[in-house]
Amino acid sequence: MQDHFADDGVYHWNSLIRFHGDNGRVTEVVSVFRLMHSLSWAPDNYTFPFVFKACGEISSSRCGASAHALSLVTGFNSNVFVGNALVAMYARCGFLGDARKVFDEMSVEGVWDVVSWNTIIASYAKLGKPKMALEMFSRMSNEFGFRPDDITLVNVIPPCASLGARSLGKQLHGFAITSERIQNTFVGNGLVDMYAKCWMMDEANKVFSNMSVKDVVSWNAMVAGYSQIGRFDDAVKLFEKMQEEKIKTDVVTWSAAISGYAQRGLGYEALGVCRQMLSSGVKPNEVTLISVLSGCASVQALMHGKEIHCYAIKHPIDLCKNGHGDDNMVINQLIDMYAKCKKVDIARAMFDSLSPKERDVVSWTVMIGGYSHHGDANKALKLFSEMFEQDYQTRPNAFTISCALGACSSLAALRIGKQIHAYVLRNQQNEVPLFVSNCLIDMYAKCGDIGVGRLVFDNMPKRNEVTWTSLISGYGMHGYGEVALGIFDEMRKMGFELDGVTLLVVLYACSHSGMIDQGMEYFNRMKTDFGVSPGPEHYACMVDLLGRAGQLNAALSHIEEMPMEPPPVVWVALLSCCRTHGKVELGEYAAKKLTELASNNDGTFTLLSNLYANARRWKDVARIRSLMKHKGIQKRPGCSWVEGIKGTTTFFVGDKTHPRAKEIYQVLSEYIQRIKDIGYVPETDFALHDVDNEEKGDLLLEHSEKLALAFGILTTPQGAAIRITKNLRVCGDCHTAFTYLSRIIDHEIILRDSSRFHHFKNGMCSCKGYW
């Protein structure tokens, strides 16, 4: 009678504990259990699972361990329900080792079941150990012969997705069909998600279509899957279908749809979906904000980006949580958004608001990328250098490297580019990522060493369309048109897809090598042979090709035959050629067209002013300069920089600020006199001032590229190349002077201007007059 009373008492205690647990009062569960124990009531095999579950939910491993000890003392260590609850409790508290130890003890005593296996597999899967989860599943089914149930499949399919284990995923799919578990909505959702994350959207769609019962998770997996593999049209269509069929959407659905629009560059559409989401009462999460900020960045919608920033501050969404893992995602995206909206100072202020310990590799990468692509390439390389100086073990990844290489390309900073290449080779885990190798080819080409760029290309185990296009472009800008076309033919034979960009660089290569017939042939074959319709940029390249060769009437006819309204770039190309060949009337016509298109680029006015100056129409020169002043348009000052052993030195026109200025001008004067003795005559037309020829000669002496060359002669070791970069096109007189100078100095002069490369050696230039 007394034992029966005791059993009833424990039953009531268990009922009270269970009542609190079912209603989410987990702390009360622990309190009642302590009270029960203090009153000397002995818990049974029903008590412990409730208590262990509560300890797991509040992540109290100390409390759980105490209850575990009590279960051992009271003899319930051999009970399968108690054991399973213990494994789950330790896993939820993050103690996988203790969970595995309890599981192994259960196996020794032979008191395990399918639930035990499901629990340990789920523990490994949820705590980021997918390989161990799959290993335990293999032991369960192959070594110990347990038959998986629905829960097993639900637990083991996500690790397949994490590891991209397509083969095992397909086997599980087959088992789900043969065991008739495929109709379980959770199993179906898991398979859809697995196929989506393995980029097998056709298979995912088959599972999705055959599901008799779908929930919002099913739809979300499909929308997110299409979005993540770049099938944004499909993602958006599915989202719209959900709305048409009035399927309930949640924050995951909305976020995936916003991401779909943003990744297609449809930033305003992404913002529109975000507004609909807010109107429907669904609150955005971090992923939503990241997607909509990406949309703002894609269309440079600064004001909308600021609104999203304000929303994130006003609402309980942390911009940064302790700087661990992916917790900086929103603030990193804000840095990226401000940089792409050309507010690099604001982006830097946000970057600086993170302490050094809080900055992750993405923080560094988006800021370096912001400087590299939208701000100051020098600052990008300075920040890249600082990344190695800080003591928090954040090292660049492949994306950081690509941003830094982009900055080297902008500055023609070959020395730093080589150092980065060496770092990549020293620290590569496997092979160098394809996109990094592509950046290396581009960097070497734009830094004047196309030979090393070709070596990188030849040593690549894999290549894509960008690889080939980068090499063709490199040879084109160096004036090796025939080599560029040979590579293009090889690319075609290899079966690579040709697009508008590839054909543009082919036309560019023809233009800069004077290959008129070949350029015309490729242009005429674009649609018929390559399936690419010429765009405005292709027509501009053809105008440039014909104009450089002096065929200005043919260039004008080409413009008149365009199937679309000629954009400013086409008329600028024509105006530039008019400036080269002194065709004033046609140049005025091109300038008029640019004015009608409201193009107020400083280059347009500068070209027209120079055209008039060449024709000695000084009143027109004054009129153009007055018009520029009235419109608030400033001509970019000529600037050249030369790379030395210790860094890069910059010169402006007439620059006398360098500590060795006196020495630089003296060396330059001496060498100019020496080349005059062998036939150089200053081309005073390029001084473009209404002064006498003697004064013009002095003005020519002050051009920035000549000053950079003089400094290079002073500081560069004998026999080494002097590498100069100019922000504008090289002056015609400087080009002639460099050609002569290359006959009397023991250096190859490699000059990169805004249009192409010039290699001066032994009295010749690689451009052969096409520049």
Side-chain angles (χ1 to χ4, degrees):
M1 185 73 178
Q2 191 173 1
D3 289 341
H4 178 70
F5 176 75
D7 290 341
D8 281 350
V10 173
Y11 171 79
H12 292 303
W13 281 106
N14 289 346
S15 297
L16 182 59
I17 289 171
R18 182 171 186 172
F19 171 78
H20 286 305
D22 290 346
N23 286 279
R25 302 170 185 166
V26 287
T27 53
E28 282 84 347
V29 170
V30 176
S31 298
V32 172
F33 174 68
R34 284 175 175 160
L35 178 61
M36 174 186 178
H37 181 58
S38 68
L39 295 174
S40 301
W41 287 93
D44 61 13
N45 58 312
Y46 294 104
T47 317
F48 286 109
F50 296 140
V51 174
F52 290 142
K53 182 181 179 183
C55 292
E57 288 182 7
I58 61 174
S59 296
S60 177
S61 58
R62 186 172 62 85
C63 179
S66 299
H68 182 191
L70 184 60
S71 71
L72 294 174
V73 172
T74 51
F76 289 103
N77 55 309
S78 298
N79 184 280
V80 67
F81 300 110
V82 174
N84 291 343
L86 258 176
V87 173
M89 183 274 293
Y90 278 122
R92 293 193 70 169
C93 291
F95 290 91
L96 258 179
D98 291 325
R100 179 60 184 269
K101 187 176 179 181
V102 173
F103 177 81
D104 289 341
E105 289 170 355
M106 291 172 69
S107 70
V108 171
E109 296 183 19
V111 291
W112 56 4
D113 57 10
V114 172
V115 177
S116 313
W117 285 99
N118 289 346
T119 306
I120 194 65
I121 290 169
S123 300
Y124 280 120
K126 290 173 182 175
L127 289 174
K129 304 284 184 183
K131 284 187 178 179
M132 283 302 301
L134 295 186
E135 182 183 314
M136 294 304 288
F137 171 71
S138 176
R139 291 186 63 194
M140 168 190 174
S141 52
N142 298 328
E143 188 176 338
F144 293 97
F146 282 91
R147 184 174 174 80
D149 61 11
D150 293 4
I151 305 300
T152 316
L153 292 177
V154 171
N155 286 331
V156 83
I157 289 172
C160 292
S162 299
L163 297 170
R166 301 182 178 193
S167 179
L168 179 57
K170 286 183 176 181
Q171 291 175 36
L172 293 171
H173 185 185
F175 175 78
I177 293 171
T178 56
S179 62
E180 298 183 351
R181 302 184 188 280
I182 193 69
Q183 293 305 319
N184 183 304
T185 303
F186 296 105
V187 173
N189 288 346
L191 288 167
V192 171
D193 184 65
M194 183 272 295
Y195 280 126
K197 287 177 178 172
C198 290
W199 291 35
M200 300 168 71
M201 286 308 298
D202 292 334
E203 287 80 356
N205 191 40
K206 287 177 185 176
V207 178
F208 178 78
S209 299
N210 290 324
M211 289 175 67
S212 56
V213 179
K214 303 180 182 76
D215 59 15
V216 68
V217 177
S218 322
W219 289 87
N220 286 350
M222 288 297 296
V223 175
Y226 280 130
S227 185
Q228 73 183 9
I229 68 167
R231 289 172 61 173
F232 304 116
D233 288 333
D234 290 322
V236 171
K237 284 176 184 175
L238 205 60
F239 172 71
E240 290 170 350
K241 187 176 180 182
M242 289 179 72
Q243 291 186 309
E244 288 171 10
E245 298 185 9
K246 301 192 184 306
I247 296 164
K248 184 181 178 182
T249 52
D250 61 13
V251 66
V252 177
T253 327
W254 289 98
S255 298
I258 291 168
S259 176
Y261 281 115
Q263 295 304 318
R264 288 165 62 200
L266 301 172
Y268 291 111
E269 287 80 354
L271 284 162
V273 175
C274 184
R275 290 191 190 97
Q276 289 180 45
M277 174 185 175
L278 292 169
S279 299
S280 69
V282 178
K283 290 185 177 181
N285 59 15
E286 286 84 352
V287 177
T288 320
L289 294 188
I290 290 164
S291 298
V292 76
L293 285 169
S294 175
C296 293
S298 69
V299 293
Q300 296 188 11
L302 177 62
M303 291 307 298
H304 295 292
K306 286 183 175 180
E307 288 173 6
I308 301 299
H309 189 177
C310 290
Y311 180 92
I313 294 170
K314 290 178 181 177
H315 293 79
I317 297 176
D318 290 336
L319 296 186
C320 174
K321 306 173 192 172
N322 303 321
H324 298 301
D326 292 331
D327 294 333
N328 286 351
M329 289 192 300
V330 175
I331 198 167
N332 289 342
Q333 191 63 56
L334 280 165
I335 294 170
D336 184 63
M337 182 274 294
Y338 280 117
K340 287 178 178 174
C341 290
K342 299 181 181 179
K343 294 295 180 181
V344 186
D345 290 344
I346 299 177
R348 182 56 190 262
M350 297 205 67
F351 176 82
D352 289 340
S353 72
L354 294 168
S355 71
K357 286 185 178 179
E358 289 175 325
R359 296 169 190 161
D360 56 23
V361 68
V362 180
S363 311
W364 288 93
T365 301
V366 293
M367 194 63 246
I368 291 168
Y371 276 133
S372 178
H373 303 302
H374 309 285
D376 186 330
N378 281 303
K379 289 181 179 178
L381 293 180
K382 185 174 184 296
L383 194 63
F384 182 71
S385 176
E386 289 175 15
M387 191 175 184
F388 291 89
E389 295 169 5
Q390 49 89 33
D391 299 324
Y392 301 102
Q393 301 303 311
T394 303
R395 289 294 173 258
N397 61 18
F399 297 100
T400 326
I401 295 292
S402 67
C403 292
L405 288 172
C408 293
S409 298
S410 299
L411 296 170
L414 180 63
R415 181 176 57 85
I416 298 174
K418 283 182 174 180
Q419 291 172 355
I420 295 172
H421 189 184
Y423 175 84
V424 170
L425 295 175
R426 285 197 308 270
N427 292 275
Q428 63 182 10
Q429 300 298 318
N430 298 302
E431 62 186 46
V432 178
L434 178 60
F435 69 92
V436 172
S437 294
N438 291 344
C439 288
L440 282 166
I441 294 172
D442 183 68
M443 182 275 293
Y444 278 114
K446 289 179 178 174
C447 290
D449 203 337
I450 188 63
V452 178
R454 181 60 190 259
L455 282 175
V456 174
F457 176 89
D458 290 339
N459 288 312
M460 289 173 66
K462 295 178 183 177
R463 301 175 185 131
N464 62 7
E465 287 80 6
V466 176
T467 316
W468 290 88
T469 301
S470 298
L471 191 64
I472 295 168
S473 175
Y475 277 112
M477 72 174 67
H478 283 271
Y480 303 122
E482 291 184 2
V483 179
L485 295 187
I487 295 167
F488 175 66
D489 288 338
E490 189 179 349
M491 177 185 179
R492 288 177 58 204
K493 290 174 185 175
M494 296 285 288
F496 284 93
E497 184 178 347
L498 306 176
D499 60 12
V501 176
T502 308
L503 288 161
L504 182 63
V505 299
V506 167
L507 296 177
Y508 173 92
C510 293
S511 175
H512 285 271
S513 297
M515 302 169 71
I516 302 169
D517 294 338
Q518 294 94 325
M520 289 295 296
E521 180 187 352
Y522 280 117
F523 180 83
N524 292 330
R525 292 168 55 197
M526 277 182 66
K527 183 67 176 175
T528 55
D529 291 11
F530 308 126
V532 177
S533 297
E537 64 278 6
H538 300 99
Y539 280 95
C541 207
M542 290 306 297
V543 170
D544 187 65
L545 171 70
L546 294 167
R548 284 176 190 275
Q551 299 182 22
L552 291 166
N553 289 331
L556 181 60
S557 297
H558 218 69
I559 295 174
E560 291 170 346
E561 292 169 4
M562 287 179 65
M564 73 283 290
E565 185 69 25
V569 64
V570 173
W571 295 111
V572 168
L574 182 63
L575 178 57
S576 178
C577 295
C578 291
R579 153 73 175 83
T580 302
H581 295 283
K583 300 292 184 181
V584 178
E585 288 185 9
L586 187 56
E588 288 178 323
Y589 177 71
K592 179 184 175 185
K593 289 293 184 180
L594 285 164
T595 303
E596 290 173 0
L597 293 170
S599 175
N600 287 324
N601 186 285
D602 71 302
T604 301
F605 291 94
T606 302
L607 283 170
L608 188 58
S609 174
N610 291 348
L611 179 63
Y612 285 135
N614 276 347
R616 301 182 182 279
R617 290 170 53 172
W618 303 113
K619 288 184 179 178
D620 287 317
V621 172
R623 178 175 58 82
I624 295 299
R625 291 181 177 174
S626 175
L627 184 61
M628 288 177 70
K629 186 176 181 181
H630 176 71
K631 288 179 174 285
I633 299 170
Q634 291 187 334
K635 179 184 178 295
R636 281 176 296 166
C639 170
S640 300
W641 55 98
V642 58
E643 187 175 47
I645 297 174
K646 295 183 179 179
T648 301
T649 305
T650 303
F651 294 92
F652 290 89
V653 177
D655 201 334
K656 291 184 172 65
T657 59
H658 194 277
R660 299 180 69 177
K662 186 176 181 180
E663 197 176 352
I664 290 167
Y665 277 93
Q666 184 178 348
V667 166
L668 183 56
S669 179
E670 290 174 0
Y671 273 96
I672 292 295
Q673 186 56 53
R674 286 179 62 184
I675 61 175
K676 281 181 179 179
D677 294 341
I678 59 174
Y680 163 68
V681 177
E683 298 180 43
T684 53
D685 285 348
F686 288 99
L688 304 177
H689 289 275
D690 188 12
V691 294
D692 61 40
N693 282 344
E694 186 176 345
E695 282 188 71
K696 285 187 176 184
D698 293 338
L699 290 170
L700 291 173
L701 193 67
E702 297 180 346
H703 280 196
S704 63
E705 54 265 60
K706 288 193 180 85
L707 298 176
L709 177 59
F711 182 74
I713 293 170
L714 279 171
T715 58
T716 305
Q718 284 292 322
I722 298 174
R723 300 178 183 277
I724 300 169
T725 305
K726 184 174 181 181
N727 64 331
L728 307 174
R729 286 188 68 186
V730 62
C731 155
D733 175 71
C734 290
H735 189 277
T736 303
F738 280 22
T739 305
Y740 275 97
L741 285 164
S742 68
R743 293 168 58 181
I744 64 172
I745 61 174
D746 189 22
H747 303 279
E748 178 184 3
I749 306 167
I750 302 174
L751 171 65
R752 180 181 123 182
D753 68 7
S754 61
S755 179
R756 58 166 299 148
F757 270 93
H758 304 265
H759 294 252
F760 299 92
K761 193 172 185 179
N762 300 325
M764 296 182 67
C765 178
S766 61
C767 76
K768 299 175 185 176
Y770 284 93
W771 58 280

